[in-house]
Amino acid sequence: MNKFTSGGVALLLVAALAGCGGKSGNEQNSNTAGSGATTGGATTGGATAGGATAGGAPATDTTAAPAGGAAFSVAGLDDGPRAGTEPIDAAKAAEGAKLFTTKICATCHGFGRKITCPDLNGVTSRRTAKWIKGQIMHPDVMTHEDPTSKALFAQYKTQMPNQHLSDEVAGQLLEYLKQRNKAGK
């Protein structure tokens, strides 16, 4: 039964990635300049030059408006204290632990090991809470507009699906990441 469940989850992930944010070759940005240094499976830098698609045409603005109506902006998301310096809400972290599995995060991300996407061990010491929540809630916008997310997309070649998660759910997942990172697991 366990092998059947794992295979079913993997198949579900493949289907989700194919329909929830995967890019065609014409949509990928070919002007990514350097993926930056890599530390523990996460890119620490990177930049994107230009603003053209692989075909040379100007890139279109793909900024999606969140449910509140205001456009999501990546400006300043990674400025400030790292997420791991903030206190952990244990109740939210417990909910986040459940969500990490049910929202299929664990299919691609591990702690202390790379599965198919970045290793999340230490992510809360590298990124701010705002950046992490932005990545959870708007991964498609982040890979188009945030230099770090662009570099990660170039490195891993996998678009994280936008599951249209609420701020509350993203906060619970963030608390779980902080808890796991603090425990060193």
Side-chain angles (χ1 to χ4, degrees):
M1 179 70 176
N2 207 5
K3 289 180 183 180
F4 177 77
T5 303
S6 297
V9 170
L11 184 58
L12 178 62
L13 173 66
V14 170
L17 288 175
C20 294
K23 293 183 174 187
S24 71
N26 291 336
E27 293 174 316
Q28 292 179 356
N29 187 337
S30 64
N31 291 327
T32 302
S35 60
T38 303
T39 305
T43 303
T44 58
T48 299
T53 61
T60 57
D61 181 15
T62 58
T63 305
F72 174 73
S73 172
V74 300
L77 285 182
D78 212 25
D79 297 340
R82 307 293 96 179
T85 63
E86 300 168 1
I88 299 167
D89 182 323
K92 286 184 180 179
E95 290 301 314
K98 295 174 197 168
L99 290 166
F100 192 78
T101 303
T102 61
K103 293 295 180 185
I104 68 170
C105 309
T107 305
C108 296
H109 296 284
F111 293 90
R113 63 189 176 102
K114 180 185 99 167
I115 298 174
T116 59
C117 293
D119 176 1
L120 296 178
N121 200 30
V123 70
T124 60
S125 64
R126 292 187 300 272
R127 305 266 87 71
T128 66
K130 288 181 187 177
W131 188 94
I132 294 169
K133 285 178 78 174
Q135 187 66 38
I136 292 169
M137 295 173 64
H138 308 284
D140 45 348
V141 176
M142 294 287 284
T143 56
H144 282 91
E145 298 180 16
D146 178 71
T148 302
S149 292
K150 285 180 183 182
L152 289 168
F153 178 72
Q155 180 180 358
Y156 291 95
K157 313 273 190 270
T158 302
Q159 173 64 54
M160 185 168 145
N162 185 339
Q163 297 186 56
H164 305 284
L165 302 177
S166 69
D167 186 66
E168 179 182 356
V169 169
Q172 292 167 338
L173 286 165
L174 171 63
E175 293 302 310
Y176 172 65
L177 294 176
K178 288 168 34 181
Q179 187 178 65
R180 282 291 303 257
N181 284 188
K182 185 172 183 165
K185 297 178 184 176

